[in-house]
Amino acid sequence: MYSEKVMDHFQNPRNVGEIENASGVGTVGNAKCGDIMRMYIDVDDNGVITECKFKTFGCGAAVATSSMATELVKGKTIQEALQITNKAVMEALDGLPPVKVHCSLLAEEAIHAALWDYAEKHNIVIEGLEKPVNDISEHEEEEEY
Ligand code: FES
């Protein structure tokens, strides 16, 4: 039911953890399944995302999609990262079962939430970026899960 890549990223997730004093941190949650994803990004002076880490409290597909999302985001410019859709994440994982598509949406939203936080902290507007509807960053600032 799951591709080899999904299983690989689930069993050996890349870039798990936190970034201290990250340029941007965003947390999103899916109210239906209760899964939570937090993404950290570091952005250099040229607007390139040099580092990206995540913590996910969620299903296997959520872990795999966030892992793949961090891999796709690293080394990209902000505008390029903004173009990474859940579809791109799914394609990079060789697909997901239909009932798991929402997990990849959470990964896309986590990227947007981290970018949103980065923009707010640096007082800039990222063209084309909207605050994700499932952004729950404010509700659990320092809370651990
Ligand atoms: Fe909700 Fe996977 S079941 S993110």
Side-chain angles (χ1 to χ4, degrees):
M1 154 168 182
Y2 288 112
S3 73
E4 266 175 42
K5 277 196 189 159
V6 172
M7 290 312 291
D8 179 31
H9 278 264
F10 167 57
Q11 280 163 339
N12 311 294
R14 326 295 199 263
N15 311 308
V16 177
E18 303 178 17
I19 299 176
E20 244 180 82
N21 302 318
S23 311
V25 188
T27 309
V28 289
N30 182 303
K32 274 196 189 143
C33 62
D35 291 351
I36 293 170
M37 210 179 266
R38 182 178 292 164
M39 201 163 278
Y40 302 79
I41 51 170
D42 258 345
V43 183
D44 71 10
D45 294 343
N46 300 318
V48 173
I49 300 168
T50 51
E51 193 58 85
C52 182
K53 288 193 185 286
F54 82 94
K55 273 172 133 187
T56 288
F57 183 83
C59 73
V63 172
T65 51
S66 28
S67 167
M68 182 53 90
T70 57
E71 288 281 271
L72 293 175
V73 161
K74 266 208 274 183
K76 299 280 196 308
T77 64
I78 288 170
Q79 272 307 323
E80 285 167 346
L82 191 55
Q83 308 307 321
I84 299 170
T85 59
N86 76 304
K87 218 171 148 240
V89 175
M90 282 200 294
E91 274 168 19
L93 285 169
D94 292 338
L96 276 177
V99 292
K100 288 289 170 184
V101 172
H102 78 272
C103 318
S104 65
L105 264 172
L106 210 53
E108 177 186 310
E109 287 197 306
I111 299 172
H112 291 182
L115 289 172
W116 184 269
D117 182 54
Y118 168 76
E120 277 202 325
K121 277 186 183 146
H122 295 81
N123 240 334
I124 56 167
V125 173
I126 299 175
E127 213 175 306
L129 175 66
E130 282 175 23
K131 191 177 167 76
V133 281
N134 292 316
D135 193 328
I136 55 167
S137 305
E138 289 99 38
H139 303 302
E140 39 116 61
E141 278 291 86
E142 294 306 319
E143 251 176 61
E144 275 307 319
Y145 51 86

